[in-house]
Amino acid sequence: MGRTNVKVRLLEHTPNPENVVAMAAKLCYSNANIGELLEKIESNDQSNFINGLVAMGHMSPIEHISFTFGIEGVSRAFLAQITRHRIASFSVKSQRYTKAIGDGTGTFAYILPPQIEALGEEAVKKYDEQMRTMQVWYNEWVEALGNKGESSNEDARFVLPNAAETKMIVTFNARELLHVFSYRLCNRAQWEFRAVADAMLDEVKKVAPIIFSYAGPHCVHGVCPEGKKSCGKQAEMKAKYGKKD
């Protein structure tokens, strides 16, 4: 298996997400019944209404729509990062019920950090050798613990590194996704999560372009919260993530 790269796929989402948001918002201020609202919303373009809704910060209607992603080629270090966003549902590949098995490369799947890769061929070779060593340790513990499947794997996995690859399915509502993007698209966010967030944003923009036209780090629509630690690239971030009219 050896080194692997991130893959993000939008698996499912609320059908007609922006119509659902418009209906939820308009219900708050209308005497019409739900059937009448639905007919009116489906027969008219809701772009201007949703733009106004998001611009004024009326965000609770956005919670009614959800997006489910398949994410693979990410590290256990990334798993610790993404699960800090608690308004989400996670299903994660188990290191207890599945065995970390190498193939022709002799190692489990793992992530190569770009800063290590940037050090050059010798550094990468050393890193790969360290992964192979940990595979050997893991295999030794599996055997020592009786090679009994989950009862052996659950303790042998303690010698596996944060670099070990994992896979997950995760579901967010749109409001929480905007929150995730505001922090994880920041230049100071962890590089792996930044790559995943970028890929997630590309996916959701295909199905809910109006809502996610407002997505981006804090500095795009306000003041950078990093203070003296700011990357100083607000203009570049606005150019990349700022709302396109």
Side-chain angles (χ1 to χ4, degrees), residues 21 57-67 87 172-182 211-212:
V21 170
H58 187 187
M59 304 299 283
S60 60
I62 295 173
E63 295 175 15
H64 290 289
I65 61 174
S66 64
F67 301 84
I87 306 177
F172 290 97
N173 71 54
R175 185 177 188 176
E176 180 63 11
L177 262 183
L178 287 169
H179 173 77
V180 169
F181 294 147
S182 70
I211 290 171
F212 291 103

Side-chain angles (χ1 to χ4, degrees), residues 137-168:
W137 294 342
Y138 175 85
N139 294 345
E140 288 175 349
W141 283 116
V142 167
E143 291 301 318
L145 294 166
N147 200 6
K148 298 176 181 178
E150 65 185 85
S151 64
S152 301
N153 298 345
E154 68 178 353
D155 286 343
R157 64 182 168 172
F158 277 72
V159 299
L160 293 175
N162 269 340
E165 188 252 9
T166 193
K167 301 175 177 67
M168 68 190 72

